Amino acid sequence: MALSTKAQRRTRRSKLMAEINVTPMVDVMLVLLVIFMVAAPMLQVGVPVNLPDGEVNSLPQEAETPLAISVSSSGELYLQNDLVLEADLTARLDEVMADRTSRKVYLRADGANSYGKVFEVMGLLSSAGYTDIGLVGDVPASSN
């Protein structure tokens, strides 16, 4: 039995491939992996959360006057009521803490400050060894 001319040409050039070519499938899977890796963190940011209001009990009074560092709306730092440069804050804090028994520091920040500024001051205090930091805020007036 003689092969047709078309079949003869096919056997001479190439044989039919009976295997599945997985390269396009792997390419698609890698592209999807990259898309999900980029999109997953974006899904976590910006989730709207309604934080609950709550009544808070005030802290018990301490024997010493609490040491407070305040950040004004313009970003100036105050140790108790004295204006302090950011570079001098830890040195001045060490001087004041030498006479105290408690190493607790209260951080008061104006609401107009950015989160970054408050975080920067907390990092400065933490790197200086002051890890007992309390954030001070106002309790909202009750609607009774």
Side-chain angles (χ1 to χ4, degrees):
M1 178 159 139
L3 294 173
S4 68
T5 56
K6 193 174 190 181
Q8 284 178 345
R9 277 187 267 161
R10 180 179 292 157
T11 56
R12 274 189 261 150
R13 278 193 279 163
S14 66
K15 295 183 180 177
L16 287 177
M17 200 167 31
E19 299 172 1
I20 297 174
N21 188 359
V22 295
T23 304
M25 183 177 69
V26 170
D27 290 343
V28 169
M29 295 306 287
L30 288 174
V31 168
L32 287 174
L33 177 67
V34 168
I35 289 172
F36 285 120
M37 286 173 57
V38 170
M42 290 183 204
L43 296 175
Q44 300 299 321
V45 178
V47 176
V49 176
N50 293 325
L51 297 176
D53 292 330
E55 293 297 318
V56 216
N57 295 331
S58 61
L59 295 173
Q61 292 294 324
E62 296 182 8
E64 296 177 310
T65 306
L67 185 63
I69 296 174
S70 302
V71 184
S72 69
S73 60
S74 60
E76 298 172 332
L77 296 176
Y78 291 88
L79 178 59
Q80 295 297 71
N81 294 326
D82 301 327
L83 180 64
V84 179
L85 296 175
E86 189 171 328
D88 301 334
L89 178 65
T90 55
R92 291 279 307 275
L93 196 54
D94 289 339
E95 290 175 9
V96 173
M97 285 292 190
D99 300 330
R100 301 175 66 87
T101 58
S102 172
R103 291 188 55 85
K104 182 176 278 194
V105 177
Y106 291 102
L107 180 59
R108 303 172 65 238
D110 192 287
N113 282 306
S114 68
Y115 175 77
K117 180 64 179 175
V118 175
F119 190 77
E120 181 181 318
V121 173
M122 285 184 69
L124 188 65
L125 293 172
S126 179
S127 66
Y130 299 99
T131 56
D132 194 3
I133 303 169
L135 296 176
V136 178
D138 286 335
V139 178
S142 62
S143 57
N144 289 338

